[in-house]
Amino acid sequence: MRLTERLVLAAMVAAAIAAPACGGSTNNASPDAGPDGANASDGTVGDSSGSSSGGSGSSSGASSSSSGSGSSSGSSSGASSSSSGGGRVPVNHRPSDAQCQTMPAAGDCTGSIPDSSPACVTDSQCTSGKNGRCVVGGGGPAHDCSCTYDACTHDADCGAGETCACHGSPYTGDSGNRCVSGDCRVDSDCGAGGYCSPSSTLGVCGFSVAGYYCHTAADTCIDNTDCSSGGCVYSTSAGHWACASVTVCL
């Protein structure tokens, strides 16, 4: 072979060695280059991305599962709503008469009104009944003090169609336990998921419990906050809970 031909052949070999190969550094710039994954590095990136995506999908699945739990919670909430006459759980309701067995708070009498003859000034003077306390009568400071006692301890201590309204319960003022009328004693008396609530009289002053009554789907209110004025009370004439004008003494 002549010298010129050898030089040409050497130049061709050198050019072939210098040219980038398919799947080389050019492919490293784009992991998606080539249908088969250009190199191990690209393949790893692809797998890692796939694994991450799969993990994300799994996380999404877990989230969906959690969302399913939320749906269960919603169902529970729905059951709760429907059980109270198609509304929410009342603020005041009675699961049991346990409150009646607790010790009442000390009386709130701080002294007598001038020119009056109070029945008592301290709790120690109230000894004619159970858990005697000396309280401000009528629920306001303008009233003189008098003794109050627990007339019942359990609902069973009251007659048929009566409930033992416990000291410290809504609308009892500072009074002791007392039997009141109504159509229920505890929530379970109102059916599965039902609620038995205390209704006030139309004049709230001292002991003002009118009775305990079940909530039903016929109710037009559940709590006092549902009424633009007055309060939510049980109407014995209508047979359900409704807003009414209620006065409160000072």
Side-chain angles (χ1 to χ4, degrees), residues 91-93 165-173 198-200 206-210 212:
V91 171
N92 299 320
H93 65 97
C166 311
H167 48 241
S169 297
Y171 314 123
T172 57
S199 174
S200 74
F207 188 91
S208 307
V209 182
Y212 278 79

Side-chain angles (χ1 to χ4, degrees), residues 136-151:
V136 176
H143 299 272
D144 219 332
C145 299
S146 60
C147 291
T148 185
Y149 304 95
D150 286 345

Side-chain angles (χ1 to χ4, degrees), residues 2-246:
R2 288 179 297 180
L3 178 61
T4 302
E5 292 175 340
R6 288 177 181 177
L7 291 175
V8 171
L9 180 60
M12 291 176 65
V13 171
I17 293 173
C22 179
S25 61
T26 300
N27 286 333
N28 283 337
S30 175
D32 295 328
D36 299 322
N39 55 34
S41 173
D42 289 343
T44 301
V45 171
D47 289 344
S48 172
S49 174
S51 172
S52 172
S53 174
S56 174
S58 174
S59 172
S60 174
S63 174
S64 296
S65 174
S66 172
S67 175
S69 297
S71 175
S72 174
S73 174
S75 174
S76 173
S77 174
S80 175
S81 296
S82 63
S83 65
S84 63
R88 63 187 177 280
V89 178
V91 171
N92 299 320
H93 65 97
R94 197 168 192 258
S96 72
D97 64 359
Q99 175 70 22
C100 296
Q101 287 100 63
T102 63
M103 284 298 295
D108 60 357
C109 182
T110 57
S112 62
I113 298 174
D115 301 321
S116 67
S117 299
C120 62
V121 177
T122 65
D123 290 352
S124 61
Q125 294 174 287
C126 301
T127 59
S128 299
K130 184 176 181 179
N131 295 331
R133 296 175 298 138
C134 187
V135 300
V136 176
H143 299 272
D144 219 332
C145 299
S146 60
C147 291
T148 185
Y149 304 95
D150 286 345
C152 55
T153 304
H154 300 275
D155 288 337
D157 297 332
C158 301
E162 292 186 325
T163 302
C164 184
C166 311
H167 48 241
S169 297
Y171 314 123
T172 57
D174 293 315
S175 297
N177 300 348
R178 191 181 305 181
C179 294
V180 297
S181 60
D183 64 8
C184 61
R185 289 179 169 177
V186 293
D187 292 342
S188 59
D189 292 336
C190 301
Y195 297 100
C196 178
S197 297
S199 174
S200 74
T201 57
L202 297 181
V204 177
C205 194
F207 188 91
S208 307
V209 182
Y212 278 79
Y213 298 92
C214 291
H215 284 275
T216 70
D219 296 344
T220 55
C221 62
I222 297 175
D223 299 310
N224 290 332
T225 52
D226 296 329
C227 305
S228 57
S229 62
C232 183
V233 301
Y234 185 82
S235 170
T236 54
S237 59
H240 62 75
W241 291 78
C243 293
S245 176
V246 177

